[in-house]
Amino acid sequence: MSDRDKQLREAAYQEVETHKSLVESDRFRLGYHLMPPVGLLNDPNGFIQYKGVYHLFYQWNPFKTEHGAKFWGHYTSRDLVNWEHHEIALAPSDWFDKNGCYSGSAIEHNGKMYLFYTGNVKDEHNNRESYQVLVESEDGFTFDKKGVVVELPEGYTAHFRDPKVWKRDDYFYMVVGAQSEDLTGKAALLRSSDLYKWEHLGAIAGAHVGSLEDFGYMWECPDLFELDGEEVLILSPQGLEPEGMLYQNIYQAGYFIGKMDYENARFDHGEFVEMDRGFEFYAPQTTEDDQGRRLLFGWLGLPEEREEDHPTIEYKWIHAMTLPRELRVKDGKLYQLPVEELKKLRHDEVIYHNVVLNEEEQAFAGIDGERLEYELTFNENPSSEVTIQMRNHATITYSPEKKRLTLSRISFVDGKTIEERHCEISELKNLRVFLDSSSIEIFVNDGAEVFTARIYPAENEKNITFKTGQPTSVQLQAWMLY
Ligand code: FRU
């Protein structure tokens, strides 16, 4: 380890020590989500199950609640529920990553863990360079940077980052988020037989590739995998204009389903679908575990979206990870559900069979508080508006007439403005809602849609109420999560 590396790590640990008690005194610290010990967390990185242990790395700026020269923080777990925080995996200490060890992925090969990340370099005029860097690890806890393995291929600007690597037949493949010289977003594909030497095969998808028109000026964090007989390309495009209910956040995260043609380096795909309909969700990354499950973590945050207004800033930290989700593809659509293991958090179960909701706001004993899960199942598609009000800060509304589900929340910028996000659904069968101290994740119709958001209610705002326009029979279940 170089002196520079040691200094940076020391400084980061010092920052954790200095602000530990302040950070931990924040009542908005989450109970069962991953967070940075201090500073800013963004993308999930290097998500892998290695030698039976889940490793999740994350983009981390320990020094500020702003973006900057990122480190890779490191969490591990055996069950996706109980996590341990480890020493820093990567520090931005080399010439090829001095302005950040940016996002990337992990792969196991011959018993070793390999990480790939983007070395971000800026000069004094803010000109950017990007390098794809390889890291080896014998044990998953100590990391040896091997240096740059991919220089910028021709045809792209320096916005070329976030390598996601996988193995298929005799080759390793890498998909990289990119901007081509005409300033449009692309996903670039590279191939290697030894993880060290990489050949650029071309842009497999992006604006003016195949039938896709303009589709943003940059694609971040691509991820390509097979699931349930389909191929899925996840990406986080920047530069989409709002379109009706769609693309309401500053940046999006979504997927294409299609067919990868490895011979011609082309991904033929259908429409882009947003993965999350809420306010804060970005840069998700997946891995396949030893049970063959396709698992996903997303960043429960968004870049440049009023980040300085989150109230946690005062306590020297910002952002969190979503819950881990399991993905499935059914009838050409991606489904997301919280991983089964999260049921371990369930305590103090309450069950209400065949309750009738009506136009009175009803509360139910055992269904309130800060950290809980509830599941609402409709005996039949509701024929009138459904309204669920949570902690005076978030409201779910379903309109059978408009066939629309809405999440509204009170803005964290002024604590007053009501903001809304919507999605179209043809019927409402069930809702599974996870509330943590300052977050909400809503899984709709067995994971067909998801809404994710931060909310910042007052301490005494703990109530949850349910109402419907016409009497509606439901099943209601809830658990405190700890
Ligand atoms: C996405 C992103 C990535 C980049 C990283 C830097 O949020 O901008 O493209 O690698 O964050 O932290």
Side-chain angles (χ1 to χ4, degrees):
M1 200 183 286
S2 68
D3 286 347
R4 176 81 188 131
D5 211 287
K6 279 190 206 136
Q7 278 168 8
L8 283 169
R9 286 164 190 260
E10 282 308 311
Y13 295 135
Q14 191 55 53
E15 203 68 12
V16 174
E17 272 315 304
T18 308
H19 300 297
K20 204 182 167 92
S21 55
L22 177 65
V23 170
E24 285 173 6
S25 70
D26 186 4
R27 64 188 182 82
F28 291 131
R29 287 294 273 181
L30 297 158
Y32 56 92
H33 285 80
L34 297 177
M35 298 169 291
V38 67
L40 176 145
L41 166 153
N42 57 303
D43 313 354
N45 291 157
F47 187 23
I48 189 172
Q49 188 184 28
Y50 173 73
K51 299 185 175 160
V53 176
Y54 295 99
H55 291 253
L56 183 75
F57 303 87
Y58 63 92
Q59 287 287 285
W60 185 27
N61 184 358
F63 304 119
K64 279 189 177 154
T65 49
E66 292 166 19
H67 294 271
K70 301 289 166 59
F71 291 64
W72 274 36
H74 188 190
Y75 274 107
T76 63
S77 173
R78 291 201 164 264
D79 61 2
L80 298 166
V81 177
N82 297 290
W83 293 87
E84 198 183 325
H85 197 246
H86 297 277
E87 283 183 15
I88 290 162
L90 302 173
S93 55
D94 285 275
W95 69 266
F96 49 75
D97 61 18
K98 72 179 180 62
N99 300 94
C101 298
Y102 273 13
S103 286
S105 58
I107 183 172
E108 177 173 355
H109 179 55
N110 290 340
K112 281 194 201 174
M113 186 195 284
Y114 292 82
L115 305 178
F116 288 85
Y117 71 92
T118 301
N120 183 47
V121 175
K122 282 183 181 168
D123 70 12
E124 65 276 23
H125 308 295
N126 241 359
N127 294 317
R128 189 190 286 261
E129 290 165 23
S130 53
Y131 301 97
Q132 312 316 311
V133 182
L134 171 63
V135 179
E136 286 192 17
S137 175
E138 301 278 346
D139 56 6
F141 294 99
T142 49
F143 300 91
D144 186 8
K145 289 184 192 168
K146 294 293 176 185
V148 177
V149 292
V150 179
E151 303 261 358
L152 185 65
E154 260 177 47
Y156 300 98
T157 72
H159 289 286
F160 190 86
R161 56 178 171 266
D162 313 334
K164 178 76 170 36
V165 175
W166 70 99
K167 184 152 198 244
R168 183 178 180 273
D169 300 334
D170 297 334
Y171 289 104
F172 298 98
Y173 290 89
M174 175 192 287
V175 66
V176 181
Q179 178 179 65
S180 49
E181 279 170 344
D182 64 355
L183 306 187
T184 64
K186 296 282 184 302
L189 186 69
L190 293 91
R191 185 175 72 179
S192 169
S193 46
D194 63 0
L195 294 170
Y196 275 81
K197 285 190 291 310
W198 291 88
E199 174 195 1
H200 174 234
L201 300 179
I204 55 165
H208 319 305
V209 178
S211 59
L212 197 64
E213 310 270 299
D214 274 350
F215 205 74
Y217 56 78
M218 170 63 190
W219 286 11
E220 296 191 313
C221 301
D223 190 348
L224 180 63
F225 53 87
E226 279 183 43
L227 182 61
D228 297 320
E230 303 278 6
E231 282 166 294
V232 183
L233 174 64
I234 288 182
L235 60 136
S236 295
Q238 300 186 314
L240 305 186
E241 293 297 323
E243 241 182 77
M245 290 180 210
L246 303 177
Y247 315 151
Q248 293 294 316
N249 296 331
I250 180 169
Y251 302 131
Q252 280 58 53
Y255 68 92
F256 294 115
I257 288 186
K259 186 90 207 93
M260 186 61 210
D261 173 356
Y262 283 88
E263 290 288 297
N264 298 302
R266 185 55 64 82
F267 184 68
D268 286 315
H269 57 79
E271 297 267 287
F272 181 75
V273 184
E274 280 178 273
M275 291 185 69
D276 198 287
R277 309 294 181 173
F279 295 90
E280 278 92 19
F281 181 82
Y282 197 63
Q285 187 178 82
T286 74
T287 193
E288 189 183 336
D289 78 351
D290 61 11
Q291 301 169 42
R293 297 184 297 179
R294 181 57 59 173
L295 305 173
L296 172 141
F297 268 102
W299 172 24
L300 212 172
L302 268 182
E304 300 155 46
E305 181 60 74
R306 304 171 297 175
E307 287 178 288
E308 62 288 355
D309 290 317
H310 283 270
T312 62
I313 294 289
E314 239 185 280
Y315 292 83
K316 298 260 182 219
W317 71 284
I318 182 168
H319 302 313
M321 288 297 166
T322 64
L323 290 175
R325 304 175 183 176
E326 182 182 350
L327 304 184
R328 298 304 301 258
V329 177
K330 263 184 267 167
D331 304 326
K333 183 174 168 51
L334 197 65
Y335 283 71
Q336 307 173 65
L337 279 175
V339 296
E340 193 61 24
E341 287 90 331
L342 289 165
K343 291 186 176 162
K344 281 202 200 173
L345 292 169
R346 289 176 170 180
H347 291 88
D348 314 324
E349 178 174 65
V350 292
I351 306 183
Y352 294 89
H353 288 295
N354 298 320
V355 193
V356 177
L357 303 180
N358 55 38
E359 75 278 338
E360 301 276 311
E361 285 191 348
Q362 287 185 66
F364 296 87
I367 311 185
D368 63 359
E370 292 182 83
R371 298 173 180 172
L372 68 148
E373 174 190 352
Y374 67 82
E375 211 172 325
L376 178 64
T377 310
F378 293 88
N379 292 341
E380 52 192 52
N381 188 36
S383 59
S384 62
E385 191 160 283
V386 178
T387 312
I388 306 167
Q389 183 286 122
M390 288 159 283
R391 307 193 62 197
N392 298 334
H393 273 250
T395 307
I396 300 172
T397 319
Y398 170 63
S399 160
E401 194 196 328
K402 296 187 187 140
K403 297 200 180 307
R404 181 189 289 183
L405 195 74
T406 301
L407 170 66
S408 45
R409 73 160 175 198
I410 295 191
S411 162
F412 56 75
V413 176
D414 60 5
K416 287 202 290 272
T417 311
I418 293 181
E419 306 169 325
E420 291 185 335
R421 292 289 181 273
H422 312 275
C423 85
E424 269 175 37
I425 51 172
S426 55
E427 58 176 331
L428 182 58
K429 293 187 233 170
N430 54 61
L431 291 169
R432 220 173 128 190
V433 180
F434 288 78
L435 286 155
D436 202 338
S437 323
S438 58
S439 70
I440 177 163
E441 282 152 292
I442 305 166
F443 297 86
V444 186
N445 292 346
D446 305 309
E449 302 293 347
V450 191
F451 288 76
T452 301
R454 290 306 286 277
I455 49 167
Y456 298 105
E459 217 160 359
N460 58 355
E461 294 175 307
K462 295 199 164 138
N463 68 315
I464 299 179
T465 60
F466 299 80
K467 76 173 187 190
T468 52
Q470 301 292 324
T472 306
S473 165
V474 300
Q475 314 292 327
L476 192 50
Q477 252 177 301
W479 303 265
M480 295 300 127
L481 299 183
Y482 52 88

